[in-house]
Amino acid sequence: MAELNYEDFKRRINIQDLLADAGYSLNRRDGLRYPSYVKMGSDGRRVRGDKFIVTGNGLCCYQPPEQKNYNVISFIKEHPHFFSEYTLGMNTDRLVNLVCNRLLNQPIDRRHSIVTERERSEKTFDLQEYKRQDFRKDDWDSQKAFYPYFKSRGISLDTQRAFSNYFFIAMREASNGKTYSNLSFPLRKPTDLATIVGMEERGRAYAEGKATYKGMAAGSNATEGLWIACPSGEALDNAKDVYWFESAYDAMAFYQITKNELKNGRNRDLEKELSRLDKSVFVSTGGNPSMRQFKGMIAETPEANHHLCFDRDRAGQMFAINFALTKAGKTFNTHVTPKGKLIVVDTTDKYQRHELNPELFEFDRLLKILGADTQRQGSEMTEYMDSLRNKEDIFSGDEYLLPPDLLNAYGRYEVACEEFHSAKYSGLVCQEDLEDIGDELKTSYEAYKAAMKDAASHYESAGRTIYQPCEKEYKDWNDQLLDKRIVAGEDNAVDKVSENSVATGNRPEERDEEYDEEEERISHFHR
């Protein structure tokens, strides 16, 4: 039977049948000349604002007040979450084929790549299949083996020592008799840090610095597993700051850059800041992050500040938005259009579609538009903290913006202060009475200061989401460490690669020709 194409789908599938399959019901009250389809809630009532109207020719539909028409193909691509075949990161062209062939009762052959990927994913990761070589801080000979992996990345020996408990060299013998060695970053679930469920792997670099191989060890649970590292070994539930990256190399590069900046700066609390950095948790998703990775870590660190340090490209921006929407408990779908627009479809309460311009990517502003800035909405200190003239001085803000209880405490202190100065310079108050008034001033001030510090502490630990990519001249943190700037003309190329990565659910990978053997292809895979 001949394979059907898009023209066949548009000619043979009725847009009304597609709307019904997507969960919409015909709204007979609007008549049949221009049929409309509405979404029904669990209470049996219409969901307000969620309606599609079929156009006059019966081939398309649109959702008022927008006048954008969707045909069968574009409707599926723009609303993939409506269909049971969809999984996060799925290629939308593949989805169109699956949905349309199902509606036409047309059998579709399983693609070889899909079968191979499924067969690979069924393998369970087993660390016992590997020989392991650890980096030991007190053994120089053990450290020399790691030189080829970190040298080209600019990762210093001090940084390697800081993260030495969170990487090792894994060696595995293939059926052809060759032994393959990779720098391995173990993956763990946030709920079970004692068990390694996979490995993010990196090969040695060529002379020009390019990696020979990067990917996931066979059977890795890269859907839930994360590379989770803390230089000080602090327990996960004590974390105040969690830093998110797409690779462990980027996490280590960020740590090295930040530590150097702290040491070279004029910071009066250097030891305190260095201690906070070492107690921070560094996380790598090993590529495109999944919702289960986000949810797993958020559940274990609900009070921590989450710093989103993903790559500075279209895909990295989308990952940051996905994290914020996940943390806000939204039901959503995101994708990047061929023209580089970031589309966010929010179906939490009703259907809402947002088209964001990545060129004007102002993270905090976008979160307000998307209704995902909940980490600050619940704090009465937000307006006051935003008014601080000196971010290191919690008393440098506009007092009238304080919440009522703190404003009352400040009022008592201000009245006591005025009374003391008035009595002191009037010459009409005896020394004993002046001392009593001074004691009242001191008491009111200490009460106000303690209340302010307590409120500021709760605000700082309220679980903020902070967008923190590398500098604009670089693609990621490792490139910034190496001072590998984006050359003029490469910026668009980076974004084009990112769009393809979003569509296929994979980052482009670099592979050494020596590894293009059947056994190695089977034993490794990429998400």
Side-chain angles (χ1 to χ4, degrees), residues 47-76:
V47 177
R48 296 181 63 85
D50 195 357
K51 176 169 72 172
F52 285 92
I53 298 176
V54 178
T55 56
N57 59 15
L59 300 176
C60 300
C61 66
Y62 67 93
Q63 186 173 44
E66 292 186 35
Q67 295 298 314
K68 179 178 179 179
N69 286 343
Y70 299 102
N71 60 24
V72 168
I73 308 302
S74 59
F75 183 87
I76 296 173

Side-chain angles (χ1 to χ4, degrees), residues 58 92 102 116 118 124 146-147 190 203 209 256 287 308 312 351 366 421 467 484 496 501:
T92 52
R102 173 174 57 79
T116 303
R118 186 176 297 119
T124 303
F146 292 83
Y147 178 85
Q256 187 168 317
L308 309 180
R312 185 181 276 277
Y351 180 89
L366 293 179
H421 286 287
Y467 183 58
K484 185 180 176 182
K496 185 172 289 187
S501 301

Side-chain angles (χ1 to χ4, degrees), residues 384 388-397:
Y384 175 80
L388 294 182
R389 288 172 283 279
N390 178 0
K391 297 302 180 183
E392 296 183 359
D393 181 8
I394 62 171
F395 300 97
S396 64

Side-chain angles (χ1 to χ4, degrees), residues 176-222:
N176 58 12
K178 290 186 178 181
T179 298
Y180 295 104
S181 301
N182 290 305
L183 179 65
S184 300
F185 300 94
L187 307 181
R188 296 176 169 90
K189 295 181 184 179
T191 54
D192 182 13
L193 298 182
T195 304
I196 296 177
V197 297
M199 295 187 300
E200 176 187 339
E201 295 184 319
R202 296 300 179 98
R204 294 170 181 245
Y206 287 129
E208 60 269 25
K210 290 187 177 181
T212 57
Y213 164 73
K214 65 176 180 178
M216 292 287 173
S220 293
N221 182 353

Side-chain angles (χ1 to χ4, degrees), residues 36 113 124 144 168 186 198 320 334 342 359 389 411:
S36 68
S113 60
T124 303
K144 288 191 292 185
F168 50 81
T334 58
L342 178 57
E359 301 299 334
R389 288 172 283 279

